[in-house]
Amino acid sequence: FPLDTLKTKSQVLGQQRSKTRMVSTTDSGVAMTASGTSSDIPLTASMNSMGMLELIALVYKMEGIGGFFGGVKGMMIGQAIIKSVAFSANSSALHHLEKYPEISGQLLLLLAACYSGFVTSFLVVPIERIKVMMQSSN
């Protein structure tokens, strides 16, 4: 999970850099600040080329160890909902498809899995959006 959080924070920092930002010129060049987070994060001109170790150091410095686990509660709740809907949809599809004796074996399982994935996909997108928002809120 910490790597997913780092990926999200990297994406958020990149988006903030490309959106509205405060720019001030200093002797050493341009210093940028991304607003909209709980604390302003200084961005260098090379934020897009920031490496993983630099991002880890930045998150640890700004948020501590908890910064790597932002959004865990939301992810756990979301996954519980997604998995319960997936199993329910699969079970329902199997029950309805068993009425057709010409559909059996692997085809039955394949069709039930496809239906389950189709139904589940309507939940995954909003839940992933909420997860990203919770991870980036720190």
Side-chain angles (χ1 to χ4, degrees):
F1 193 78
L3 292 177
D4 186 51
T5 301
L6 288 172
K7 174 195 65 108
T8 301
K9 288 182 183 292
S10 174
Q11 291 170 342
V12 169
L13 288 174
Q15 288 174 356
Q16 288 175 347
R17 183 178 181 270
S18 65
K19 289 185 178 180
T20 307
R21 59 186 176 254
M22 300 177 345
V23 178
S24 62
T25 306
T26 62
D27 293 338
S28 61
V30 178
M32 298 178 212
T33 306
S35 299
T37 58
S38 59
S39 60
D40 289 343
I41 299 172
L43 301 176
T44 64
S46 63
M47 179 57 78
N48 287 338
S49 64
M50 177 181 277
M52 182 63 82
L53 293 177
E54 295 159 326
L55 181 60
I56 289 170
L58 178 65
V59 170
Y60 185 76
K61 179 181 177 186
M62 300 301 291
E63 302 175 31
I65 196 74
F68 297 104
F69 298 96
V72 169
K73 291 177 190 173
M75 186 270 311
M76 291 173 66
I77 292 169
Q79 287 300 313
I81 293 169
I82 290 168
K83 299 305 180 197
S84 66
V85 168
F87 280 106
S88 297
N90 190 43
S91 177
S92 175
L94 285 172
H95 175 72
H96 290 295
L97 289 172
E98 286 175 347
K99 296 176 184 175
Y100 302 97
E102 62 274 3
I103 302 174
S104 64
Q106 297 297 321
L107 181 59
L108 178 71
L109 295 175
L110 176 67
L111 291 174
C114 288
Y115 177 75
S116 176
F118 176 77
V119 170
T120 305
S121 67
F122 286 100
L123 289 176
V124 171
V125 173
I127 290 173
E128 286 295 316
R129 173 72 175 138
I130 292 168
K131 181 184 87 170
V132 168
M133 290 171 57
M134 291 179 74
Q135 286 176 336
S136 63
S137 69
N138 294 334

